[in-house]
Amino acid sequence: QKEVEQDPGPLSVPEGAIVSLNCTYSNSAFQYFMWYRQYSRKGPELLMYTYSSGNKEDGRFTAQVDKSSKYISLFIRDSQPSDSATYLCAMSLGGSQGNLIFGKGTKLSVKP
Amino acid sequence: EPEVTQTPSHQVTQMGQEVILRCVPISNHLYFYWYRQILGQKVEFLVSFYNNEISEKSEIFDDQFSVERPDGSNFTLKIRSTKLEDSAMYFCASSEGSAHEQYFGPGTRLTVT
């Protein structure tokens, strides 16, 4: 079983739609859950992180973690064409374990 | 806004040659990382570096790889004898102290022919 699973898409939505991106994971020891945005041929850009279970909101973005289900989500409200990118989830054990375990990424296209 | 920079943006090399990929982390950051992303695949962790020594490495980071912080600003990844399967994007990242807040550079595309 792969450690972090993410539907690669592609996902295409109209401008203004609410987007839901998800990842599942198998290692219950993960403590930190990150979402990165990656534009074509660029480096991953950190959007937000969540520690343990719960929700976190930053502008149009909301991250949710459900550790009991080993399931994390990123919601994008009022999506814009500039949100078109690949969204990567990443996780870490925390503490001295600094390496991030990434999902494969979901390619999102927001059509004007 | 401070950012991680990487040079070169694209490196083409022949199989068996040595390459050095360079990174300048964000200036007040203490933890440094290398990741790679083979085309169409996940971003994979290679190595982390703190206080002038390797703190973690993955199975990918074998004896052909090495890292160094030769001065107060640069962080390098050396591949001693490149193989075709080393062709990938290599990303450098740094963090101030929290591993969950890693900031990535734009990457170096390595092509081994």
Side-chain angles (χ1 to χ4, degrees), chain A residues 5 16 20 25 29-30 32 54 62 64 73 75 81-83 92 99 103 109:
Chain A
E5 301 256 28
S20 172
Y25 62 95
F30 286 137
Y32 288 91
T62 299
Q64 285 185 355
S73 301
F75 297 96
S82 58
D83 295 328
S92 73
N99 56 305
S109 177

Side-chain angles (χ1 to χ4, degrees), chain A residues 4 36 97-99 104, chain B residues 35 37 40 42 56 102 109:
Chain A
V4 179
Y36 282 82
Q97 298 286 331
N99 56 305
K104 202 170 181 181
Chain B
Y35 292 80
Q37 186 176 30
K42 293 182 179 183
E56 284 179 78
Q102 294 182 29
R109 179 171 298 280

Side-chain angles (χ1 to χ4, degrees), chain B residues 80-105:
Chain B
R80 259 179 275 283
S81 177
T82 51
K83 305 171 190 167
L84 293 175
E85 54 265 36
D86 294 328
S87 295
M89 281 289 285
Y90 287 81
F91 295 108
C92 174
S94 69
S95 71
E96 192 173 359
S98 305
H100 50 275
E101 288 190 89
Q102 294 182 29
Y103 294 88
F104 283 71

Side-chain angles (χ1 to χ4, degrees), chain B residues 1 14 18-20 25 28 31 37-38 41 46 48 61 69-70 73 78 82 84-86 102 105 107 111:
Chain B
E1 187 177 325
Q14 289 189 327
E18 175 183 287
V19 294
I20 296 176
N28 63 330
Y31 294 80
Q37 186 176 30
I38 295 170
Q41 302 299 314
L46 292 178
S48 60
F61 194 87
R69 186 150 165 87
S73 59
K78 182 192 290 186
T82 51
L84 293 175
E85 54 265 36
D86 294 328
Q102 294 182 29
T111 303

Side-chain angles (χ1 to χ4, degrees), chain A residues 8-75:
Chain A
L11 180 62
S12 183
V13 301
E15 183 175 353
I18 296 174
V19 175
S20 172
L21 305 167
N22 312 292
C23 288
T24 59
Y25 62 95
S26 57
N27 189 346
S28 58
F30 286 137
Q31 294 290 333
Y32 288 91
F33 304 90
M34 281 66 68
W35 286 97
Y36 282 82
R37 178 173 61 196
Q38 187 176 27
Y39 292 112
S40 182
R41 295 182 178 260
K42 301 291 185 183
E45 173 194 3
L46 179 63
L47 287 175
M48 56 200 305
Y49 70 89
T50 309
Y51 172 69
S52 193
S53 282
N55 294 358
K56 189 172 185 178
E57 189 174 318
D58 184 1
R60 295 184 295 111
F61 298 87
T62 299
Q64 285 185 355
V65 174
D66 181 349
K67 290 193 78 177
S68 63
S69 302
K70 299 192 184 71
Y71 188 87
I72 71 170
S73 301
L74 178 71
F75 297 96

Side-chain angles (χ1 to χ4, degrees), chain A residues 95-108:
Chain A
S96 62
Q97 298 286 331
N99 56 305
L100 302 182
I101 311 299
F102 281 86
K104 202 170 181 181
T106 300
K107 187 169 184 178
L108 171 67

